[in-house]
Amino acid sequence: MITFKKDHELVNMRRAGQIVAEVLMGLKDLVKPGVSTGELDEWVEKYIRDQGAIPSEKGYRVPGIPTPYPNSICASINNEVVHGIPQYERKLKLGDIISIDVMACYNGYHGDAAFSYPVGEISEDRLRLLAVTKNSLDIGIAQARSGNTVGDIGFAIEKYITGQGFGIVRDYTGHGLGRNPHEPPQVPNFGRPGRGVTLKPGMTIAIEPMVMAGREEVVTGSDGWVVLTADGSDAAHFEKTVLITKDGAEIFTPWK
Ligand code: MF3
Ligand code: CO
């Protein structure tokens, strides 16, 4: 069921979103060669709990995966698309790219966002992948207003990404959220104008383009969680939680 949030619910969602945005901006200084994804996870969990919130991903269960998610962030490096499990043995290297996806729950309401970081100086190709994926999120958010549909968001993202010569992840989508980390409607990063659920004020959705430099196919890794590009090409992921209002989208996770 699509839920329309009341003002007191929006207060909590704004706070959850703010915490997630602070985490993602704080990580800019921590992401560097030699740091492990386990250490990044540890920092994020403490930061979220220090704000009186709970890391939503820890213990989260997804249909079809037998094990609960073990950590407070998803940390996906290079050819990993999403759901990379943090590890102390996994250290970032100069030239890597890493996508970090964070959710926090404040007073029963969730915020969800992701950011893809360069690790030091990176190749021109990787720079372009990050820039294009980030732009595609803005292009999607520009369609997020009352009266438009989820198809308008997906179409705008898809048209831009494929026009840049990149591939879109079609097996995973954006989503509604609120009391639950994932609620209807699905918000695919592809679609047709005017199709799908119509957006109305009070709906809160996470828009999250996942983009591949190569072929549009993903595979799941042996831990049952990590999603990788099938051809080994690089991937990037940016995400924000937004509220649909009369005149557009209010950003709940204001990272820059
Ligand atoms: N935060 C992710 C999203 O954007 C969901 C991660 S599920 C987890 O929807 F279990 F891996 F954390
Ligand atoms: Co999400």
Side-chain angles (χ1 to χ4, degrees), residues 57 60 62 69 74 83 101 103 112 175 182 208 225 239:
E57 291 177 353
Y60 189 60
V62 166
Y69 192 73
C74 298
H83 304 167
D101 188 333
M103 296 180 103
D112 187 8
H175 50 94
H182 293 128
E208 50 177 317
W225 277 101
E239 175 177 28

Side-chain angles (χ1 to χ4, degrees), residues 143-198:
Q143 295 297 321
R145 59 172 175 271
S146 182
N148 273 9
T149 69
V150 296
D152 291 319
I153 295 175
F155 175 74
I157 292 173
E158 178 181 24
K159 190 172 158 216
Y160 173 68
I161 291 297
T162 55
Q164 295 291 317
F166 290 145
I168 295 166
V169 177
R170 295 167 192 268
D171 301 11
Y172 299 85
T173 69
H175 50 94
L177 74 170
R179 269 211 171 275
N180 300 296
H182 293 128
E183 296 181 358
Q186 289 194 351
V187 184
N189 297 302
F190 54 90
R192 292 169 65 185
R195 297 297 181 93
V197 169
T198 300

Side-chain angles (χ1 to χ4, degrees), residues 2-222:
I2 295 176
T3 58
F4 296 86
K5 277 74 178 184
K6 300 180 175 58
D7 286 349
H8 73 273
E9 302 184 282
L10 295 173
V11 171
N12 292 314
M13 289 197 69
R14 279 191 194 94
R15 182 74 197 120
Q18 180 62 35
I19 294 165
V20 167
E22 286 169 12
V23 164
L24 290 174
M25 293 300 84
L27 284 169
K28 280 191 178 184
D29 292 332
L30 302 179
V31 168
K32 49 182 162 216
V35 75
S36 72
T37 53
E39 291 168 287
L40 297 176
D41 177 70
E42 195 179 321
W43 181 84
V44 171
E45 177 165 8
K46 180 171 184 332
Y47 190 94
I48 291 173
R49 294 195 192 279
D50 284 350
Q51 313 309 308
I54 297 164
S56 318
E57 291 177 353
K58 199 162 193 166
Y60 189 60
R61 285 182 175 275
V62 166
I65 304 179
T67 52
Y69 192 73
N71 291 85
S72 301
I73 62 172
C74 298
S76 310
I77 301 171
N78 298 339
N79 59 319
E80 298 170 347
V81 185
V82 289
H83 304 167
I85 296 178
Q87 286 163 305
Y88 287 103
E89 305 74 45
R90 190 88 190 272
K91 291 192 165 72
L92 300 181
K93 296 193 292 288
L94 181 67
D96 283 345
I97 52 175
I98 177 171
S99 303
I100 301 183
D101 188 333
V102 183
M103 296 180 103
C105 182
Y106 186 79
N107 221 355
Y109 292 87
H110 297 271
D112 187 8
F115 193 94
S116 295
Y117 306 78
V119 182
E121 204 174 316
I122 62 174
S123 69
E124 287 292 325
D125 285 351
R126 285 182 167 170
L127 270 178
R128 195 171 82 84
L129 176 65
L130 296 190
V132 166
T133 308
K134 198 176 185 190
N135 282 342
S136 77
L137 173 58
D138 291 334
I139 286 166
I141 290 174
Q143 295 297 321
R145 59 172 175 271
S146 182
N148 273 9
T149 69
V150 296
D152 291 319
I153 295 175
F155 175 74
I157 292 173
E158 178 181 24
K159 190 172 158 216
Y160 173 68
I161 291 297
T162 55
Q164 295 291 317
F166 290 145
I168 295 166
V169 177
R170 295 167 192 268
D171 301 11
Y172 299 85
T173 69
H175 50 94
L177 74 170
R179 269 211 171 275
N180 300 296
H182 293 128
E183 296 181 358
Q186 289 194 351
V187 184
N189 297 302
F190 54 90
R192 292 169 65 185
R195 297 297 181 93
V197 169
T198 300
L199 303 168
K200 298 201 185 84
M203 288 172 61
T204 45
I205 59 173
I207 304 175
E208 50 177 317
M210 291 154 262
V211 174
M212 296 175 277
R215 190 160 51 86
E216 281 189 354
E217 191 189 337
V218 295
V219 293
T220 304
S222 55

